[in-house]
Amino acid sequence: MIKAMKFVGVPVSDQQRALEFYTTKLGFGVITDQEFTPEQRWIELGIGRSGTGIALFTPPGHKDRIGTFTGISFVADDVKATCRELAEKGVVFVQEPKEEDWGTSAIFADPDGNQFVLGSA
């Protein structure tokens, strides 16, 4: 049986620039960074104490996915405070925090324009 999700892929145009963004601005940790093909590295990042991470990798034929809404949602204890902290580090928010009946959420983008939700648990 499936018991967990290991990682989700985030397609990027410049792996080094993406690595710097995700580690220095978002605080993710490097799990592995190694050559995958002569054109790309396999970069897998961990997120806090979560068992799920992300892979900064663009499969062949998937460059059209770069710069789109990913459908990936990250969780923060305090969405508004986390947004302020990330904005101070230069993270761009395409939707400021909104409070809804179900919780608070915001949407931010990486340097390629990939968009992610930051929400309450």
Side-chain angles (χ1 to χ4, degrees):
M1 297 296 291
I2 295 172
K3 62 180 187 177
M5 182 180 299
K6 182 176 180 181
F7 61 80
V8 294
V10 176
V12 297
S13 63
D14 181 326
Q15 288 182 300
Q16 186 59 40
R17 178 181 70 177
L19 178 62
E20 290 169 11
F21 173 83
Y22 286 93
T23 57
T24 62
K25 295 188 188 294
L26 301 184
F28 295 178
V30 176
I31 294 173
T32 187
D33 180 354
Q34 59 190 340
E35 183 177 327
F36 188 77
T37 68
E39 297 81 30
Q40 286 198 81
R41 295 153 39 198
W42 181 258
I43 303 172
E44 198 172 320
L45 305 176
I47 305 165
R49 293 179 297 220
S50 172
T52 304
I54 64 170
L56 303 176
F57 181 79
T58 307
H62 288 255
K63 288 186 178 186
D64 62 332
R65 292 180 47 216
I66 297 170
T68 63
F69 182 80
T70 65
I72 298 170
S73 296
F74 297 109
V75 176
D77 290 330
D78 184 333
V79 173
K80 290 180 181 180
T82 302
C83 287
R84 283 191 301 273
E85 179 183 323
L86 293 176
E88 288 173 4
K89 293 180 178 182
V91 175
V92 175
F93 282 84
V94 297
Q95 176 192 299
E96 293 298 321
K98 287 176 39 177
E99 291 185 35
E100 304 286 350
D101 292 340
W102 49 266
T104 303
S105 69
I107 299 174
F108 68 92
D110 73 3
D112 278 309
N114 295 311
Q115 295 182 11
F116 305 88
V117 174
L118 176 64
S120 51

